[in-house]
Amino acid sequence: MKASPTWPIHLVLILVSAIMLLPFYWVIKTSLTGDNIFAYPPAVIPRNLHLFYYVDVWYFIPFLRYFMNSIIVSGLAVAANVILNAMAGYALTLPFQGKGFVIMLFLSCMMIPFQATIIPAYLITGYLGLLNSHLGLALPLFSTIVCIFVFKASFDAVPRSLIDAARIDGLAEWRIIQKIMLPLSRAAIATNVILAFTWSWNNFLWPLIITRDADLQTLPLGLARFLSYHEDTTGALYAFCIMVLAPGILLFLMAQRDFIHGLTTGATRG
Amino acid sequence: MASLAGLDRRPGFFGREQVRQRVLIWCFLAPSLLIFLAYRILPLLWNLLLSFEEWSPYRPARWAGLDNYQEMLFYDDVFWQAFWNTLIFMASAPVGIAFALGIAVLVDADIRGRDAYRTIVFLSYPLMTVAVGIIWRWMYDERVGLINFVLRALGLIGEPIAFLQSFAWSLPAVIIASIWQILGFYMIVLLSGLQSVPRELYEAAAIDGADAGARFWRITLPLLRPSMFLCFVIGMLNSFTSFDLVYIMTNGGPGHATELLVTYIYKLGFVQTKFDTAAAVTVVLFLLLLALTWAGNRATGGDAGAVERG
């Protein structure tokens, strides 16, 4: 076949990339600039860059407290997810009675969006005495069906003979997970960490419902609260946005290769 | 079964070992099952019960039959507005999927820097939606937003448009922001679908004289069905769960022009403490989702099982 020129492809993709990146550029520019934010026409190239707005956010908003709350809740969710999903995913690679039923149950649970269960979920959390607590914030995110199947797909790819050999050597099942399965499932773990982290880190509706104390609020809540109370301090609002987005972007850029690989092999086999 | 191979050699212990193994399997499954029971299945059933009751946190429950549904379906204009808005939101999913398919085909080509393009397009997906909503509020700003600036610079509009305060523009504006955020996810799913299409099929078709267009319509598209279905499901879930974006960008306004079922449920339940009415709206939301998933599955050839066959 003759090689066709690639520049039209690049042209379209550069345009698409620009559309995807321009909002970030605009917000970063605004958060860094000393120009009058409400000037028209807005300056496309920023002048007088400074970090005043970032300093404002750091000192005048309890940023560190929101951040620590987010870290605690996300940390709980990520740890629980990797452990529980690996266990469940491993169980699904073994033959047992009722396996088809469990798989159907998991798949039908996937069709129930969390948003469709918020009222009873709120009541249940109340009966468990977990309203207004870190554990209550994290508990509904402790296990995710997608990640169970990502783990299952990854474990299925491990040669059976390896596992059988380990069993004959008398290794307990949970040691098999720990010593054989997990070390061979880097992409699945990365996928799980990123998914669980982004879901809990970005989660907004659930914390909005179950937290009362300002002390327990996570970053998205802090951001929404700042938006509603201080609509005039635009520069600081965008600095806050960037400070909130940065950890997620960094984590994603570090782990994207494993993440995208794990996501695509787990999600669309067959 | 193969996994019990090690045990077959010790028939004396077979029975006991098998029981032990079975207990262990259920112990491994139990924590996840409990979480899903407490936060998916039980809430769904409880929600159904609530929708038939007259209930608030301050009163004992009373059986109300279809009262909540009657009020919702016949007397509540906001419910219907939220209902149609949610449908419009969902109808926009194929637009996003079509765009993503175009991009996926381009970044599947053997060109330099394609990993960079993939990363850039995907980047917006894992971001915190609250922050994305704030960014897009700014993009749509009447005085200094980038969109008004570009449109005016290009001479397409004379006066700036207050997109998010406009009855006509607010819903499309929110939908565009939503597509912007989910585009990368569609692209990745479709890309993995594209890469699983056997290359020999294209070669054989090329030998038979099929041009690029025919190869795309006759080979690529049919074989992408499972991926398209997955995108469709994710897109619908996204339109149900776009609470964050709507809450931040418009909070359902102006009036109820961007009210979705999910924002309305939140307002009914947690602002007005009308948990029973909110439960009835939730039942509608869930039935709508089921119906559309079923229809989507039919439309893409009924091979949902191929997406996630355990």
Side-chain angles (χ1 to χ4, degrees), chain A residues 10 20 24 95 115-116 119-120 125 143 152 167 173 202 231 238 244 252 256 267-269, chain B residues 3 24 32 39 43 112 117 119 122 126-128 137-138 180 192 241 275 282 293 306-307 310:
Chain A
H10 281 289
M20 297 311 285
F24 295 112
Q115 280 79 355
I119 293 159
T125 309
S143 183
K152 180 187 177 325
R167 278 215 188 95
E173 298 290 324
N202 301 341
E231 236 177 312
Y238 298 117
V244 167
F252 169 68
Q256 53 149 333
T268 52
R269 283 178 317 123
Chain B
S3 65
L24 203 76
S32 298
Y39 283 104
R112 265 201 300 169
Y117 290 126
T119 304
F122 190 74
L127 296 184
M128 183 186 294
R137 270 172 75 114
W138 182 237
W180 178 85
S192 75
T241 53
F275 286 87
T282 306
T293 310
V307 176

mmCIF file of all heavy atoms in Angstrom, chain A residues 10 20 24 95 115-116 119-120 125 143 152 167 173 202 231 238 244 252 256 267-269, chain B residues 3 24 32 39 43 112 117 119 122 126-128 137-138 180 192 241 275 282 293 306-307 310:
data_model
loop_
_atom_site.group_PDB
_atom_site.id
_atom_site.type_symbol
_atom_site.label_atom_id
_atom_site.label_comp_id
_atom_site.label_asym_id
_atom_site.label_seq_id
_atom_site.Cartn_x
_atom_site.Cartn_y
_atom_site.Cartn_z
ATOM 1 N N HIS A 10 -2.429 14.839 11.872
ATOM 2 C CA HIS A 10 -1.835 15.685 12.909
ATOM 3 C C HIS A 10 -2.634 16.972 13.086
ATOM 4 O O HIS A 10 -2.865 17.422 14.206
ATOM 5 C CB HIS A 10 -0.379 16.009 12.550
ATOM 6 C CG HIS A 10 0.561 14.896 12.851
ATOM 7 N ND1 HIS A 10 0.898 14.541 14.139
ATOM 8 C CD2 HIS A 10 1.223 14.035 12.043
ATOM 9 C CE1 HIS A 10 1.740 13.518 14.100
ATOM 10 N NE2 HIS A 10 1.951 13.188 12.839
ATOM 11 N N MET A 20 -9.013 20.294 24.157
ATOM 12 C CA MET A 20 -8.939 19.616 25.442
ATOM 13 C C MET A 20 -8.092 20.407 26.446
ATOM 14 O O MET A 20 -8.328 20.347 27.646
ATOM 15 C CB MET A 20 -8.349 18.203 25.280
ATOM 16 C CG MET A 20 -9.162 17.253 24.421
ATOM 17 S SD MET A 20 -10.918 17.184 24.827
ATOM 18 C CE MET A 20 -10.896 16.227 26.341
ATOM 19 N N PHE A 24 -7.675 24.357 30.633
ATOM 20 C CA PHE A 24 -6.619 24.359 31.655
ATOM 21 C C PHE A 24 -5.764 25.605 31.521
ATOM 22 O O PHE A 24 -5.429 26.262 32.500
ATOM 23 C CB PHE A 24 -5.724 23.124 31.509
ATOM 24 C CG PHE A 24 -6.419 21.842 31.760
ATOM 25 C CD1 PHE A 24 -6.644 20.939 30.732
ATOM 26 C CD2 PHE A 24 -6.858 21.518 33.030
ATOM 27 C CE1 PHE A 24 -7.286 19.747 30.968
ATOM 28 C CE2 PHE A 24 -7.500 20.325 33.272
ATOM 29 C CZ PHE A 24 -7.720 19.437 32.230
ATOM 30 N N PRO A 95 -13.230 -22.706 40.926
ATOM 31 C CA PRO A 95 -14.547 -23.284 40.665
ATOM 32 C C PRO A 95 -15.291 -23.481 41.988
ATOM 33 O O PRO A 95 -14.696 -23.932 42.963
ATOM 34 C CB PRO A 95 -14.198 -24.641 40.040
ATOM 35 C CG PRO A 95 -12.880 -24.994 40.627
ATOM 36 C CD PRO A 95 -12.165 -23.705 40.924
ATOM 37 N N GLN A 115 -25.974 6.999 42.697
ATOM 38 C CA GLN A 115 -26.911 8.123 42.787
ATOM 39 C C GLN A 115 -28.354 7.668 42.962
ATOM 40 O O GLN A 115 -29.182 8.436 43.434
ATOM 41 C CB GLN A 115 -26.799 8.998 41.534
ATOM 42 C CG GLN A 115 -25.632 9.948 41.536
ATOM 43 C CD GLN A 115 -24.317 9.281 41.181
ATOM 44 O OE1 GLN A 115 -24.241 8.066 41.015
ATOM 45 N NE2 GLN A 115 -23.269 10.075 41.081
ATOM 46 N N ALA A 116 -28.630 6.421 42.569
ATOM 47 C CA ALA A 116 -29.999 5.928 42.686
ATOM 48 C C ALA A 116 -30.272 5.321 44.059
ATOM 49 O O ALA A 116 -31.349 4.806 44.307
ATOM 50 C CB ALA A 116 -30.279 4.902 41.596
ATOM 51 N N ILE A 119 -30.679 7.927 49.171
ATOM 52 C CA ILE A 119 -31.530 8.153 50.343
ATOM 53 C C ILE A 119 -31.416 7.002 51.347
ATOM 54 O O ILE A 119 -31.060 7.221 52.504
ATOM 55 C CB ILE A 119 -32.977 8.419 49.917
ATOM 56 C CG1 ILE A 119 -33.029 9.762 49.168
ATOM 57 C CG2 ILE A 119 -33.914 8.461 51.109
ATOM 58 C CD1 ILE A 119 -34.220 9.929 48.280
ATOM 59 N N PRO A 120 -31.665 5.721 50.913
ATOM 60 C CA PRO A 120 -31.454 4.630 51.867
ATOM 61 C C PRO A 120 -29.996 4.501 52.306
ATOM 62 O O PRO A 120 -29.744 4.155 53.467
ATOM 63 C CB PRO A 120 -31.902 3.386 51.097
ATOM 64 C CG PRO A 120 -32.768 3.895 50.016
ATOM 65 C CD PRO A 120 -32.228 5.233 49.652
ATOM 66 N N THR A 125 -26.254 4.392 56.647
ATOM 67 C CA THR A 125 -25.056 4.933 57.283
ATOM 68 C C THR A 125 -25.416 5.543 58.635
ATOM 69 O O THR A 125 -24.656 5.443 59.596
ATOM 70 C CB THR A 125 -24.398 5.982 56.374
ATOM 71 O OG1 THR A 125 -24.243 5.409 55.074
ATOM 72 C CG2 THR A 125 -23.037 6.390 56.894
ATOM 73 N N SER A 143 -15.335 -1.321 47.915
ATOM 74 C CA SER A 143 -15.132 -2.375 46.927
ATOM 75 C C SER A 143 -15.801 -1.949 45.630
ATOM 76 O O SER A 143 -16.870 -1.335 45.673
ATOM 77 C CB SER A 143 -15.736 -3.686 47.434
ATOM 78 O OG SER A 143 -15.480 -4.711 46.516
ATOM 79 N N LYS A 152 -9.820 -10.378 38.331
ATOM 80 C CA LYS A 152 -10.125 -11.728 37.858
ATOM 81 C C LYS A 152 -9.455 -11.984 36.508
ATOM 82 O O LYS A 152 -8.810 -13.009 36.315
ATOM 83 C CB LYS A 152 -11.634 -11.914 37.737
ATOM 84 C CG LYS A 152 -12.023 -13.308 37.248
ATOM 85 C CD LYS A 152 -13.516 -13.359 36.996
ATOM 86 C CE LYS A 152 -13.994 -14.698 36.436
ATOM 87 N NZ LYS A 152 -13.115 -15.393 35.527
ATOM 88 N N ARG A 167 0.126 -25.102 45.328
ATOM 89 C CA ARG A 167 -0.804 -25.807 46.211
ATOM 90 C C ARG A 167 -0.208 -27.118 46.697
ATOM 91 O O ARG A 167 -0.336 -27.471 47.865
ATOM 92 C CB ARG A 167 -2.102 -26.111 45.459
ATOM 93 C CG ARG A 167 -3.014 -24.935 45.438
ATOM 94 C CD ARG A 167 -4.473 -25.352 45.524
ATOM 95 N NE ARG A 167 -5.233 -24.138 45.292
ATOM 96 C CZ ARG A 167 -5.693 -23.804 44.106
ATOM 97 N NH1 ARG A 167 -5.554 -24.613 43.082
ATOM 98 N NH2 ARG A 167 -6.310 -22.674 43.949
ATOM 99 N N GLU A 173 -4.123 -20.517 50.483
ATOM 100 C CA GLU A 173 -4.690 -19.722 49.386
ATOM 101 C C GLU A 173 -4.310 -18.237 49.492
ATOM 102 O O GLU A 173 -3.996 -17.597 48.507
ATOM 103 C CB GLU A 173 -6.211 -19.862 49.359
ATOM 104 C CG GLU A 173 -6.703 -21.278 49.111
ATOM 105 C CD GLU A 173 -6.430 -21.757 47.687
ATOM 106 O OE1 GLU A 173 -6.521 -20.943 46.756
ATOM 107 O OE2 GLU A 173 -6.139 -22.957 47.527
ATOM 108 N N ASN A 202 -12.504 12.442 44.076
ATOM 109 C CA ASN A 202 -13.408 13.352 43.360
ATOM 110 C C ASN A 202 -14.841 13.303 43.881
ATOM 111 O O ASN A 202 -15.671 14.104 43.463
ATOM 112 C CB ASN A 202 -13.436 13.007 41.869
ATOM 113 C CG ASN A 202 -12.077 13.100 41.236
ATOM 114 O OD1 ASN A 202 -11.188 13.740 41.789
ATOM 115 N ND2 ASN A 202 -11.906 12.477 40.095
ATOM 116 N N GLU A 231 -17.719 34.386 45.582
ATOM 117 C CA GLU A 231 -17.710 34.393 44.137
ATOM 118 C C GLU A 231 -16.903 35.542 43.546
ATOM 119 O O GLU A 231 -16.553 35.527 42.378
ATOM 120 C CB GLU A 231 -19.141 34.402 43.588
ATOM 121 C CG GLU A 231 -19.332 33.235 42.653
ATOM 122 C CD GLU A 231 -20.740 33.128 42.118
ATOM 123 O OE1 GLU A 231 -21.700 33.198 42.902
ATOM 124 O OE2 GLU A 231 -20.853 32.984 40.898
ATOM 125 N N TYR A 238 -9.554 30.026 41.176
ATOM 126 C CA TYR A 238 -8.866 29.228 40.159
ATOM 127 C C TYR A 238 -7.564 28.647 40.686
ATOM 128 O O TYR A 238 -7.192 27.532 40.319
ATOM 129 C CB TYR A 238 -8.698 30.037 38.875
ATOM 130 C CG TYR A 238 -10.070 30.374 38.364
ATOM 131 C CD1 TYR A 238 -10.520 31.682 38.262
ATOM 132 C CD2 TYR A 238 -10.970 29.349 38.123
ATOM 133 C CE1 TYR A 238 -11.820 31.953 37.891
ATOM 134 C CE2 TYR A 238 -12.268 29.613 37.761
ATOM 135 C CZ TYR A 238 -12.696 30.913 37.651
ATOM 136 O OH TYR A 238 -13.980 31.174 37.314
ATOM 137 N N VAL A 244 -6.228 21.676 43.690
ATOM 138 C CA VAL A 244 -7.017 20.459 43.874
ATOM 139 C C VAL A 244 -6.743 19.468 42.740
ATOM 140 O O VAL A 244 -6.663 18.262 42.953
ATOM 141 C CB VAL A 244 -8.519 20.811 43.942
ATOM 142 C CG1 VAL A 244 -9.360 19.570 43.823
ATOM 143 C CG2 VAL A 244 -8.833 21.541 45.233
ATOM 144 N N PHE A 252 -2.003 10.479 37.706
ATOM 145 C CA PHE A 252 -2.406 9.914 36.419
ATOM 146 C C PHE A 252 -1.227 9.831 35.462
ATOM 147 O O PHE A 252 -1.000 8.813 34.811
ATOM 148 C CB PHE A 252 -3.528 10.747 35.810
ATOM 149 C CG PHE A 252 -3.812 10.381 34.396
ATOM 150 C CD1 PHE A 252 -4.359 9.159 34.081
ATOM 151 C CD2 PHE A 252 -3.497 11.251 33.369
ATOM 152 C CE1 PHE A 252 -4.594 8.801 32.772
ATOM 153 C CE2 PHE A 252 -3.737 10.909 32.058
ATOM 154 C CZ PHE A 252 -4.286 9.683 31.760
ATOM 155 N N GLN A 256 -0.234 6.251 34.060
ATOM 156 C CA GLN A 256 -1.190 6.135 32.960
ATOM 157 C C GLN A 256 -0.985 4.891 32.097
ATOM 158 O O GLN A 256 -1.945 4.308 31.619
ATOM 159 C CB GLN A 256 -1.146 7.381 32.084
ATOM 160 C CG GLN A 256 0.226 7.716 31.601
ATOM 161 C CD GLN A 256 0.193 8.380 30.258
ATOM 162 O OE1 GLN A 256 -0.720 8.163 29.480
ATOM 163 N NE2 GLN A 256 1.190 9.185 29.980
ATOM 164 N N ALA A 267 -11.792 -4.320 30.641
ATOM 165 C CA ALA A 267 -13.131 -3.870 30.311
ATOM 166 C C ALA A 267 -13.687 -4.484 29.044
ATOM 167 O O ALA A 267 -14.872 -4.754 28.949
ATOM 168 C CB ALA A 267 -13.142 -2.347 30.195
ATOM 169 N N THR A 268 -12.862 -4.716 28.065
ATOM 170 C CA THR A 268 -13.417 -5.186 26.799
ATOM 171 C C THR A 268 -12.664 -6.400 26.279
ATOM 172 O O THR A 268 -12.032 -6.352 25.234
ATOM 173 C CB THR A 268 -13.344 -4.096 25.715
ATOM 174 O OG1 THR A 268 -11.994 -3.641 25.686
ATOM 175 C CG2 THR A 268 -14.278 -2.964 25.991
ATOM 176 N N ARG A 269 -12.726 -7.446 27.040
ATOM 177 C CA ARG A 269 -12.248 -8.687 26.468
ATOM 178 C C ARG A 269 -13.367 -9.258 25.619
ATOM 179 O O ARG A 269 -14.521 -8.991 25.858
ATOM 180 C CB ARG A 269 -11.907 -9.700 27.573
ATOM 181 C CG ARG A 269 -10.589 -9.397 28.245
ATOM 182 C CD ARG A 269 -10.312 -10.385 29.355
ATOM 183 N NE ARG A 269 -11.502 -10.629 30.134
ATOM 184 C CZ ARG A 269 -12.008 -11.839 30.307
ATOM 185 N NH1 ARG A 269 -11.468 -12.876 29.722
ATOM 186 N NH2 ARG A 269 -13.062 -11.999 31.060
ATOM 187 N N SER B 3 -7.949 -26.792 39.073
ATOM 188 C CA SER B 3 -7.361 -26.126 40.231
ATOM 189 C C SER B 3 -7.305 -27.050 41.443
ATOM 190 O O SER B 3 -6.651 -26.736 42.418
ATOM 191 C CB SER B 3 -8.140 -24.873 40.579
ATOM 192 O OG SER B 3 -9.434 -25.250 40.977
ATOM 193 N N LEU B 24 -13.330 -20.978 52.433
ATOM 194 C CA LEU B 24 -12.351 -19.935 52.123
ATOM 195 C C LEU B 24 -12.851 -19.028 50.993
ATOM 196 O O LEU B 24 -12.754 -17.801 51.064
ATOM 197 C CB LEU B 24 -11.048 -20.610 51.693
ATOM 198 C CG LEU B 24 -9.801 -19.766 51.864
ATOM 199 C CD1 LEU B 24 -9.421 -19.733 53.325
ATOM 200 C CD2 LEU B 24 -8.669 -20.336 51.029
ATOM 201 N N SER B 32 -16.775 -7.956 50.044
ATOM 202 C CA SER B 32 -17.314 -7.239 48.876
ATOM 203 C C SER B 32 -18.822 -7.417 48.799
ATOM 204 O O SER B 32 -19.558 -6.460 48.560
ATOM 205 C CB SER B 32 -16.667 -7.749 47.595
ATOM 206 O OG SER B 32 -15.287 -7.508 47.628
ATOM 207 N N TYR B 39 -24.877 -1.217 50.306
ATOM 208 C CA TYR B 39 -24.916 0.058 49.599
ATOM 209 C C TYR B 39 -25.475 -0.019 48.184
ATOM 210 O O TYR B 39 -25.510 0.985 47.487
ATOM 211 C CB TYR B 39 -23.529 0.708 49.606
ATOM 212 C CG TYR B 39 -23.235 1.342 50.942
ATOM 213 C CD1 TYR B 39 -22.374 0.751 51.847
ATOM 214 C CD2 TYR B 39 -23.861 2.531 51.305
ATOM 215 C CE1 TYR B 39 -22.133 1.323 53.089
ATOM 216 C CE2 TYR B 39 -23.632 3.116 52.531
ATOM 217 C CZ TYR B 39 -22.771 2.514 53.419
ATOM 218 O OH TYR B 39 -22.549 3.093 54.638
ATOM 219 N N PRO B 43 -30.333 -0.754 49.601
ATOM 220 C CA PRO B 43 -30.893 0.574 49.307
ATOM 221 C C PRO B 43 -31.911 0.556 48.173
ATOM 222 O O PRO B 43 -32.913 1.271 48.226
ATOM 223 C CB PRO B 43 -29.667 1.399 48.919
ATOM 224 C CG PRO B 43 -28.546 0.758 49.625
ATOM 225 C CD PRO B 43 -28.861 -0.718 49.621
ATOM 226 N N ARG B 112 3.574 9.672 14.494
ATOM 227 C CA ARG B 112 4.445 10.078 15.600
ATOM 228 C C ARG B 112 3.630 10.789 16.670
ATOM 229 O O ARG B 112 2.677 11.497 16.375
ATOM 230 C CB ARG B 112 5.539 10.998 15.084
ATOM 231 C CG ARG B 112 6.815 10.229 14.766
ATOM 232 C CD ARG B 112 8.004 11.150 14.750
ATOM 233 N NE ARG B 112 7.828 12.197 13.728
ATOM 234 C CZ ARG B 112 8.622 13.259 13.640
ATOM 235 N NH1 ARG B 112 9.609 13.420 14.491
ATOM 236 N NH2 ARG B 112 8.438 14.151 12.694
ATOM 237 N N TYR B 117 -0.989 12.352 22.127
ATOM 238 C CA TYR B 117 -2.373 12.721 21.810
ATOM 239 C C TYR B 117 -3.350 11.954 22.697
ATOM 240 O O TYR B 117 -4.308 12.505 23.233
ATOM 241 C CB TYR B 117 -2.699 12.426 20.344
ATOM 242 C CG TYR B 117 -2.000 13.329 19.354
ATOM 243 C CD1 TYR B 117 -1.242 12.783 18.323
ATOM 244 C CD2 TYR B 117 -2.135 14.709 19.425
ATOM 245 C CE1 TYR B 117 -0.610 13.594 17.397
ATOM 246 C CE2 TYR B 117 -1.505 15.528 18.507
ATOM 247 C CZ TYR B 117 -0.739 14.960 17.488
ATOM 248 O OH TYR B 117 -0.131 15.767 16.582
ATOM 249 N N THR B 119 -2.852 10.665 25.640
ATOM 250 C CA THR B 119 -2.795 11.163 27.015
ATOM 251 C C THR B 119 -3.567 12.468 27.149
ATOM 252 O O THR B 119 -4.329 12.655 28.093
ATOM 253 C CB THR B 119 -1.336 11.372 27.440
ATOM 254 O OG1 THR B 119 -0.642 10.150 27.257
ATOM 255 C CG2 THR B 119 -1.248 11.797 28.888
ATOM 256 N N PHE B 122 -7.290 11.901 27.037
ATOM 257 C CA PHE B 122 -7.797 11.167 28.197
ATOM 258 C C PHE B 122 -7.709 11.977 29.480
ATOM 259 O O PHE B 122 -8.457 11.745 30.424
ATOM 260 C CB PHE B 122 -7.014 9.854 28.359
ATOM 261 C CG PHE B 122 -7.611 8.925 29.375
ATOM 262 C CD1 PHE B 122 -8.778 8.225 29.075
ATOM 263 C CD2 PHE B 122 -7.049 8.760 30.623
ATOM 264 C CE1 PHE B 122 -9.348 7.377 30.007
ATOM 265 C CE2 PHE B 122 -7.618 7.916 31.565
ATOM 266 C CZ PHE B 122 -8.766 7.222 31.246
ATOM 267 N N PRO B 126 -10.105 11.682 34.403
ATOM 268 C CA PRO B 126 -10.009 11.400 35.843
ATOM 269 C C PRO B 126 -10.058 12.637 36.738
ATOM 270 O O PRO B 126 -9.887 12.509 37.940
ATOM 271 C CB PRO B 126 -8.659 10.690 35.973
ATOM 272 C CG PRO B 126 -7.905 10.982 34.756
ATOM 273 C CD PRO B 126 -8.821 11.504 33.716
ATOM 274 N N LEU B 127 -10.289 13.815 36.184
ATOM 275 C CA LEU B 127 -10.228 15.026 37.004
ATOM 276 C C LEU B 127 -11.467 15.205 37.873
ATOM 277 O O LEU B 127 -12.555 14.758 37.532
ATOM 278 C CB LEU B 127 -10.070 16.247 36.108
ATOM 279 C CG LEU B 127 -8.773 16.287 35.317
ATOM 280 C CD1 LEU B 127 -8.679 17.579 34.550
ATOM 281 C CD2 LEU B 127 -7.578 16.120 36.225
ATOM 282 N N MET B 128 -11.274 15.911 38.977
ATOM 283 C CA MET B 128 -12.382 16.188 39.890
ATOM 284 C C MET B 128 -13.443 17.041 39.197
ATOM 285 O O MET B 128 -13.170 18.144 38.721
ATOM 286 C CB MET B 128 -11.860 16.913 41.124
ATOM 287 C CG MET B 128 -12.932 17.167 42.164
ATOM 288 S SD MET B 128 -12.307 18.169 43.497
ATOM 289 C CE MET B 128 -11.101 17.058 44.208
ATOM 290 N N ARG B 137 -17.598 26.968 34.155
ATOM 291 C CA ARG B 137 -18.340 28.212 34.470
ATOM 292 C C ARG B 137 -17.578 29.417 33.944
ATOM 293 O O ARG B 137 -18.146 30.346 33.378
ATOM 294 C CB ARG B 137 -18.462 28.361 35.989
ATOM 295 C CG ARG B 137 -19.658 27.747 36.611
ATOM 296 C CD ARG B 137 -19.511 27.810 38.106
ATOM 297 N NE ARG B 137 -19.750 29.164 38.601
ATOM 298 C CZ ARG B 137 -20.775 29.496 39.366
ATOM 299 N NH1 ARG B 137 -21.645 28.586 39.720
ATOM 300 N NH2 ARG B 137 -20.944 30.725 39.777
ATOM 301 N N TRP B 138 -16.271 29.369 34.167
ATOM 302 C CA TRP B 138 -15.388 30.455 33.745
ATOM 303 C C TRP B 138 -15.302 30.522 32.222
ATOM 304 O O TRP B 138 -15.309 31.596 31.625
ATOM 305 C CB TRP B 138 -14.031 30.210 34.399
ATOM 306 C CG TRP B 138 -12.960 31.219 34.157
ATOM 307 C CD1 TRP B 138 -11.733 30.968 33.623
ATOM 308 C CD2 TRP B 138 -12.977 32.603 34.485
ATOM 309 N NE1 TRP B 138 -11.003 32.114 33.598
ATOM 310 C CE2 TRP B 138 -11.744 33.140 34.121
ATOM 311 C CE3 TRP B 138 -13.937 33.452 35.047
ATOM 312 C CZ2 TRP B 138 -11.423 34.478 34.293
ATOM 313 C CZ3 TRP B 138 -13.627 34.782 35.225
ATOM 314 C CH2 TRP B 138 -12.381 35.291 34.850
ATOM 315 N N TRP B 180 -16.970 16.955 26.971
ATOM 316 C CA TRP B 180 -15.540 17.277 27.044
ATOM 317 C C TRP B 180 -14.846 16.390 28.070
ATOM 318 O O TRP B 180 -13.757 15.893 27.846
ATOM 319 C CB TRP B 180 -15.375 18.760 27.401
ATOM 320 C CG TRP B 180 -13.959 19.219 27.557
ATOM 321 C CD1 TRP B 180 -13.112 19.645 26.567
ATOM 322 C CD2 TRP B 180 -13.203 19.305 28.777
ATOM 323 N NE1 TRP B 180 -11.904 20.001 27.094
ATOM 324 C CE2 TRP B 180 -11.922 19.797 28.443
ATOM 325 C CE3 TRP B 180 -13.482 19.027 30.105
ATOM 326 C CZ2 TRP B 180 -10.938 20.014 29.401
ATOM 327 C CZ3 TRP B 180 -12.497 19.241 31.060
ATOM 328 C CH2 TRP B 180 -11.244 19.727 30.707
ATOM 329 N N SER B 192 -9.241 0.311 22.327
ATOM 330 C CA SER B 192 -8.934 -1.090 22.627
ATOM 331 C C SER B 192 -9.782 -2.008 21.761
ATOM 332 O O SER B 192 -9.331 -3.086 21.371
ATOM 333 C CB SER B 192 -9.133 -1.377 24.113
ATOM 334 O OG SER B 192 -10.497 -1.469 24.423
ATOM 335 N N THR B 241 -25.462 10.449 36.403
ATOM 336 C CA THR B 241 -24.647 10.741 37.571
ATOM 337 C C THR B 241 -23.942 12.078 37.439
ATOM 338 O O THR B 241 -23.022 12.361 38.175
ATOM 339 C CB THR B 241 -23.617 9.624 37.778
ATOM 340 O OG1 THR B 241 -22.907 9.451 36.568
ATOM 341 C CG2 THR B 241 -24.286 8.335 38.148
ATOM 342 N N PHE B 275 -38.166 12.750 51.693
ATOM 343 C CA PHE B 275 -37.495 11.513 51.306
ATOM 344 C C PHE B 275 -38.417 10.607 50.504
ATOM 345 O O PHE B 275 -37.985 9.917 49.588
ATOM 346 C CB PHE B 275 -36.999 10.763 52.542
ATOM 347 C CG PHE B 275 -35.792 11.381 53.168
ATOM 348 C CD1 PHE B 275 -35.918 12.389 54.105
ATOM 349 C CD2 PHE B 275 -34.526 10.964 52.814
ATOM 350 C CE1 PHE B 275 -34.805 12.960 54.689
ATOM 351 C CE2 PHE B 275 -33.400 11.530 53.389
ATOM 352 C CZ PHE B 275 -33.537 12.538 54.329
ATOM 353 N N THR B 282 -36.524 8.436 42.345
ATOM 354 C CA THR B 282 -35.400 7.515 42.170
ATOM 355 C C THR B 282 -35.838 6.241 41.448
ATOM 356 O O THR B 282 -35.101 5.721 40.606
ATOM 357 C CB THR B 282 -34.794 7.150 43.540
ATOM 358 O OG1 THR B 282 -34.476 8.355 44.233
ATOM 359 C CG2 THR B 282 -33.549 6.328 43.366
ATOM 360 N N THR B 293 -30.740 0.665 28.906
ATOM 361 C CA THR B 293 -29.671 -0.316 28.756
ATOM 362 C C THR B 293 -30.154 -1.482 27.904
ATOM 363 O O THR B 293 -29.457 -1.950 27.008
ATOM 364 C CB THR B 293 -29.222 -0.842 30.125
ATOM 365 O OG1 THR B 293 -28.965 0.268 30.972
ATOM 366 C CG2 THR B 293 -27.990 -1.678 29.999
ATOM 367 N N ALA B 306 -20.742 -10.208 25.730
ATOM 368 C CA ALA B 306 -19.370 -10.204 25.253
ATOM 369 C C ALA B 306 -18.538 -9.139 25.948
ATOM 370 O O ALA B 306 -17.324 -9.196 25.964
ATOM 371 C CB ALA B 306 -19.336 -9.976 23.739
ATOM 372 N N VAL B 307 -19.223 -8.146 26.525
ATOM 373 C CA VAL B 307 -18.485 -7.066 27.176
ATOM 374 C C VAL B 307 -17.838 -7.558 28.456
ATOM 375 O O VAL B 307 -16.687 -7.312 28.730
ATOM 376 C CB VAL B 307 -19.429 -5.887 27.483
ATOM 377 C CG1 VAL B 307 -18.688 -4.812 28.255
ATOM 378 C CG2 VAL B 307 -19.966 -5.316 26.190
ATOM 379 N N GLY B 310 -18.054 -13.279 32.545
ATOM 380 C CA GLY B 310 -17.208 -13.693 33.673
ATOM 381 C C GLY B 310 -16.501 -14.966 33.333
ATOM 382 O O GLY B 310 -15.378 -15.187 33.499
#
